[in-house]
Amino acid sequence: MSKLVEAVRGGRTDDVVTIVNGMTAAERRGELPALKALRKEFRDAWVTPQLQAASPALLVAGLACQSGAAAVASWLTASGWERMWVAEKRFLPMLEERPAEWLTELAHRIAERLRQSPYLRPMVAGLFTAGGTGQALNSGHSNKDNPWLLALARLTAEGTLDRATMVDGCLGRLLRGGTAVDQRVFHRLLLDLDLSAEEHAGRVADWLALAADALQPVAVHVQSVLAELALTGSLPTHDLADMTRAVLTRPEKNLVRAQLKLLDKVVTRDTATADALLPAASHALTHEDTEAQERALKLIERHGTHLTDALSREEILTSAAPIAPGLRTRVVEALGTGAEEALQAAGEDTLPPVPSPVALASPPASVAETAEETGALLASHGILPVADFERTLDGLVRWAHEDRAAMLEALEPVAATRWWSRTCRRPLPDDSVPSAFAPSHVRFTPRLALDLVLAGLHQRITPRTAKAVLDGGGAHAGCLPDGPFRARFWEIAHRLLTDPQPFLLSTPSWDNGLLEPGELTDRLKTYQRLGAHVGACDFAQALLRVRTTDRAAAEAAAERAAVLGTPEGQRLADWLRTGGLTGTVLHRTVTDRTTPVVRSGEITALHMFPLAFRELGSPALGSHHRCWCAATAAVQQTHWPALLPEHPELIALRLIQHVLPCAQYPEKDPDVCSVLPLLAQSPGASGPATSLVVAGGLGVQRQEDRIAAVDALLLLAAQKKLDPGALATDLGALMLIGIVTPSRLAESLGTAASTGAYRTVWTVLRDALPPLLSKDLSPAESRGLGELLTVAAECAERTGAQGVIPGLNPIAARRGSSRLVSQARRLRAALAGT
């Protein structure tokens, strides 16, 4: 074995370079038979770490010993080379030493081999599906003269690559999205392919999709393609209308203005298109670009007489409803008689639809289904929906009672992955259980609650430990309603260890947590028939969930419950007849004359409840002082509204001390406001606690939380549960004491207004601004006030509001053109109707 072959077999690439550099041309040629034999040996062998290490060395040795360009090309393009990139830095310097003519011949021979390769088409097709190819093709080249892209276009033009595959691949990659580099590269390749008019016309659906979402350079090209099709009659009018609605939602001024210009040309050529195109153009009336607004208005004025469809006029009026009064007047004049009345009818707020409650599905029908759903909940990330969680929990309890052995067998794959299992069959040491499940150490999330239930089912907790924790109130942390939440699960775990329940009384009927009174009565009757013992926490939670506001259903269920003759039946009857917690009142007060707080008095109706639940009735205070406890996780709080569905105020009261501090300090927990939209959808009435917690949410630091608070605001307004005056009072007070900043509030309320809720936002700002405007603010305190006045002015203009805002005139009368002063003048002019 020669030294060269020995170095190759050892994978010593550097030694290979040293050896061949010391050899004559004849000596190198003499090594070729051995190297070719070694190549065949490597090709036929299984891939091993040794082969992977030797392959780059063999590649370098073979290239160094070959002399002709054809032989080098053949050696280099052979299949099966492992880790070629390792060899590149060794053999490239060798090739660069060859004459230019030789290198040219080598390049042509390699290119010809690649061109004839049966793998060329599938390899190129992979460029459009693999990640990072745009960045790789772009590396080291300008986008316009990229040799890779030009080569692909040339291969396509000559028929080596399938043209339809290339065009569809580019469009598919653009539709898929991705990084800006990816988008630019595949757009450039699409341009280099130089599509014909027929190819453009055959892919209208793709162009329409790109017009809405593509990067601006791509969207500009797409717009030009569709414009050409529209002007030649190859684009159906309804497609042009769809394209227009998509483009007019984009922020780029050049795209919006060009689209309106295109519509003018099309409608001028064919006035029959006005019914389809003018309503689409009217969407620009609310665009942030004032020039686009004016162009859209002129388009309607110029061609409005060609409208024949009442629905088209109605869409234009709907688009015009939120714009400034002066512009609305011009729309009315362009559309003619009857438009003014229709416009007034269309001028109400556009508020989101309120999701209807969804009934819980039947419990899992088998132990296998129950185990599967349990595993899915434990393995999922993020917030667990109340409906899925409660349904699965009820299934675990039912099947553990029905067939415990089968349930345990089905849960084996799930239990094997849990931290409490450890493959040990003995219970956890009593002294370790509190540290695993107690609130002072961990947040009692719904997943941890499932773990507790499963640990009880698998007897990994002793009955004595579960009873001790339960007697202590469920090991609550005092951050309510976390206590009732966890106490319920400690009771379930204890019952699984001692006396399994046939099913849970407290499983809600609806995904918002409500439990129908007739359904709870039926469950108590079944318990009576089975001789089952009613769990105190389970029944307490059932009472807090049962619907009492439907008085007819409540009275009917009360009569049936009383007939049962059981203590629980009588308690349910009394609860339904008295309305449960109906009459609970919270009060808003202030401390230090400025800081808003909400107080609740003692709720005597809860005196007979278990310890953890009784604390819900203790006097409580909601303020901006932060509650530093473990029960602040979003995955935990989002289950709270379902604990007291008819009394969201009691939940909101406990949330205040979590939300308000997040407007001042970095948030310890993300998604602190994610519960607010769920709270707003609760079937119970809202009040001062909801108002204060939403006000604080509109000014917290994280944008995602502010958006959640905006959603809650809009949902409350849509249900007519929003008190704008109370919210304005809270916002004004929070801004005065610096908890909520004007800049964050401007962003939140601007977002709410942009959804179409201009009137709602105006009624809030109308009363929230005076305390702030009337105060002598420092420059730091007034930061962001100009942005807040911008939102107010926009809302006043779009709603036609008039009147006087105390404190506004002195600011508007100041010298200068700062945003604060200019927007104060704008708001004053809008309120004066000028």
Side-chain angles (χ1 to χ4, degrees):
M1 181 186 302
S2 68
K3 290 184 178 180
L4 180 60
V5 173
E6 184 180 355
V8 169
R9 285 191 175 278
R12 304 193 304 274
T13 308
D14 289 338
D15 289 349
V16 167
V17 174
T18 302
I19 292 170
V20 296
N21 284 340
M23 298 172 67
T24 65
E27 289 173 335
R28 292 183 184 184
R29 287 193 298 271
E31 294 283 353
L32 280 175
L35 294 177
K36 290 179 180 179
L38 197 56
R39 170 71 179 134
K40 183 179 185 304
E41 178 186 336
F42 283 5
R43 185 185 294 116
D44 296 339
W46 288 98
V47 176
T48 63
Q50 292 77 12
L51 187 149
Q52 289 181 331
S55 185
L58 177 59
L59 177 60
V60 172
L63 290 176
C65 294
Q66 304 279 1
S67 57
V72 170
S74 178
W75 185 267
L76 187 61
T77 57
S79 62
W81 289 117
E82 296 288 339
R83 302 172 65 190
M84 179 179 280
W85 65 92
V86 176
E88 286 179 358
K89 61 182 179 181
R90 304 293 193 280
F91 71 71
L92 287 179
M94 292 180 175
L95 296 179
E96 291 171 355
E97 295 174 357
R98 304 291 182 104
E101 297 80 6
W102 188 92
L103 290 173
T104 301
E105 182 184 355
L106 176 65
H108 282 288
R109 288 183 177 276
I110 291 176
E112 191 60 32
R113 288 176 180 274
L114 292 176
R115 185 190 301 273
Q116 295 173 358
S117 170
Y119 303 108
L120 176 63
R121 287 194 175 191
M123 180 179 67
V124 171
L127 293 175
F128 302 112
T129 57
T133 52
Q135 179 68 48
L137 291 172
N138 187 68
S139 179
H141 305 290
S142 67
N143 200 35
K144 187 174 182 181
D145 299 318
N146 189 313
W148 290 108
L149 305 183
L150 294 174
L152 290 171
R154 181 178 175 181
L155 291 171
T156 303
E158 67 185 30
T160 303
L161 296 176
D162 181 68
R163 184 169 183 81
T165 299
M166 296 297 291
V167 174
D168 291 341
C170 288
L171 289 173
R173 192 59 180 251
L174 294 174
L175 288 167
R176 171 178 150 186
T179 65
V181 171
D182 262 10
Q183 296 284 285
R184 286 197 299 267
V185 166
F186 289 103
H187 178 227
R188 182 68 250 174
L189 177 56
L190 188 65
L191 293 177
D192 290 339
L193 291 174
D194 193 21
L195 273 62
S196 65
E198 291 76 14
E199 288 174 317
H200 284 152
R203 294 171 169 82
V204 168
D206 293 335
W207 303 125
L208 292 175
L210 289 171
D213 300 319
L215 291 179
Q216 182 178 6
V218 180
V220 169
H221 169 234
V222 169
Q223 187 180 49
S224 67
V225 169
L226 291 173
E228 183 179 355
L229 294 176
L231 293 175
T232 58
S234 301
L235 183 68
T237 302
H238 66 87
D239 283 336
L240 179 57
D242 290 342
M243 171 202 177
T244 299
R245 291 185 176 89
V247 170
L248 296 186
T249 62
R250 300 182 64 113
E252 298 93 343
K253 298 178 182 179
N254 61 326
L255 287 171
V256 173
R257 295 176 185 180
Q259 190 68 22
L260 294 171
K261 185 177 181 180
L262 170 63
L263 295 187
D264 191 22
K265 290 180 180 179
V266 173
V267 178
T268 299
R269 290 186 178 188
D270 183 3
T271 57
T273 61
D275 280 321
L277 299 183
L278 292 189
S282 69
H283 288 247
L285 293 172
T286 55
H287 198 274
E288 59 184 14
D289 178 25
T290 56
E291 175 64 24
Q293 296 174 15
E294 183 63 25
R295 290 191 181 197
L297 185 54
K298 288 182 177 179
L299 188 63
I300 295 170
E301 290 175 329
R302 189 176 301 121
H303 302 290
T305 56
H306 302 307
L307 291 168
T308 61
D309 187 358
L311 292 177
S312 298
R313 291 161 56 86
E314 182 179 341
E315 183 175 347
I316 295 173
L317 292 171
T318 301
S319 299
I323 65 177
L327 299 180
R328 288 204 303 267
T329 301
R330 289 173 59 184
V331 173
V332 169
E333 293 173 349
L335 297 183
T337 307
E340 185 171 4
E341 293 77 10
L343 184 61
Q344 291 174 352
E348 298 300 321
D349 274 359
T350 301
L351 297 170
V354 181
S356 299
V358 177
L360 258 67
S362 301
S366 65
V367 291
E369 184 181 348
T370 303
E372 181 180 353
E373 295 187 9
T374 302
L377 289 178
L378 290 171
S380 63
H381 299 284
I383 294 171
L384 300 183
V386 169
D388 296 343
F389 178 77
E390 291 286 350
R391 177 177 175 272
T392 302
L393 178 66
D394 189 41
L396 281 170
V397 172
R398 286 175 182 267
W399 285 107
H401 177 271
E402 182 75 17
D403 192 342
R404 186 188 189 101
M407 188 73 258
L408 288 172
E409 181 180 358
L411 284 170
E412 279 187 4
V414 178
T417 65
R418 308 314 296 168
W419 56 269
W420 45 262
S421 176
R422 310 292 192 196
T423 70
C424 178
R425 297 295 181 182
R426 292 175 298 174
L428 293 169
D430 284 351
D431 58 356
S432 72
V433 173
S435 65
F437 294 103
S440 58
H441 296 83
V442 292
R443 294 169 177 157
F444 199 80
T445 64
R447 287 184 184 82
L448 187 57
L450 281 180
D451 269 319
L452 175 60
V453 171
L454 292 178
L457 179 60
H458 286 78
Q459 297 183 330
R460 297 288 285 132
I461 302 171
T462 64
R464 181 181 61 183
T465 300
K467 182 66 164 55
V469 175
L470 190 59
D471 289 344
H476 56 84
C479 188
L480 304 174
D482 184 54
F485 182 78
R486 68 182 66 232
R488 180 184 177 217
F489 292 96
W490 277 106
E491 181 183 82
I492 293 173
H494 181 256
R495 290 293 298 273
L496 287 170
L497 290 163
T498 58
D499 179 21
Q501 300 159 271
F503 53 82
L504 293 176
L505 296 172
S506 54
T507 302
S509 307
W510 304 90
D511 64 345
N512 59 12
L514 272 180
L515 173 56
E516 294 299 334
E519 190 170 352
L520 178 54
T521 303
D522 291 339
R523 293 176 185 175
L524 284 176
K525 186 175 181 179
T526 303
Y527 259 62
Q528 182 186 38
R529 177 174 58 82
L530 296 174
H533 171 63
V534 174
C537 293
D538 185 29
F539 186 56
Q541 178 61 85
L543 291 180
L544 294 178
R545 282 177 167 169
V546 72
R547 187 196 297 270
T548 62
T549 52
D550 184 342
R551 295 312 304 157
E555 290 293 341
E559 291 184 12
R560 294 178 53 219
V563 172
L564 293 177
T566 63
E568 291 79 16
Q570 189 59 51
R571 281 189 63 191
L572 175 58
D574 295 341
W575 183 267
L576 292 173
R577 285 166 178 161
T578 58
L581 296 182
T582 299
T584 301
V585 178
L586 279 68
H587 301 278
R588 181 191 185 279
T589 60
V590 293
T591 60
D592 302 329
R593 300 183 181 179
T594 56
T595 305
V597 298
V598 176
R599 299 178 185 274
S600 71
E602 188 171 5
I603 304 175
T604 58
L606 293 173
H607 284 180
M608 299 300 293
F609 278 57
L611 175 60
F613 290 81
R614 287 202 299 271
E615 293 197 8
L616 280 172
S618 301
L621 174 70
S623 71
H624 69 287
H625 295 293
R626 184 156 195 169
C627 174
W628 296 100
C629 72
T632 57
V635 294
Q636 185 174 5
Q637 293 181 354
T638 49
H639 281 246
W640 288 4
L643 302 183
L644 287 161
E646 286 193 333
H647 301 281
E649 280 288 274
L650 291 177
I651 305 296
L653 178 66
R654 272 78 185 183
L655 288 171
I656 291 173
Q657 58 191 345
H658 296 301
V659 174
L660 262 62
C662 292
Q664 294 178 291
Y665 310 108
E667 291 148 274
K668 187 176 182 181
D669 298 293
D671 303 319
V672 70
C673 293
S674 59
V675 65
L676 296 186
L678 297 176
L679 200 66
Q681 296 173 52
S682 293
S686 62
T690 301
S691 174
L692 185 55
V693 77
V694 170
L698 294 172
V700 296
Q701 292 190 10
R702 291 182 73 248
Q703 184 182 32
E704 295 87 342
D705 282 318
R706 294 199 297 273
I707 291 175
V710 169
D711 290 341
L713 166 67
L714 296 175
L715 286 168
L716 288 170
Q719 300 170 89
K720 301 188 184 304
K721 292 165 60 175
L722 178 69
D723 184 343
L727 182 61
T729 300
D730 290 331
L731 286 171
L734 293 176
M735 284 192 290
L736 281 177
I737 60 178
I739 291 180
V740 171
T741 65
S743 57
R744 290 186 195 143
L745 182 60
E747 182 178 337
S748 297
L749 293 183
T751 299
S754 66
T755 66
Y758 294 101
R759 193 173 301 279
T760 296
V761 173
W762 168 249
T763 56
V764 172
L765 283 176
R766 178 188 60 199
D767 296 329
L769 284 171
L772 202 61
L773 297 177
S774 302
K775 184 182 178 184
D776 186 17
L777 300 174
S778 66
E781 292 174 323
S782 63
R783 188 177 297 116
L785 186 54
E787 287 80 357
L788 195 57
L789 289 180
T790 300
V791 177
E794 178 80 4
C795 292
E797 291 169 351
R798 291 179 181 271
T799 59
Q802 295 186 351
V804 176
I805 299 292
L808 180 64
N809 285 340
I811 297 177
R814 294 178 186 174
R815 294 181 178 179
S817 57
S818 67
R819 181 160 194 166
L820 175 61
V821 174
S822 63
Q823 293 305 308
R825 293 170 183 162
R826 177 188 173 190
L827 177 56
R828 182 179 62 180
L831 294 175
T834 59

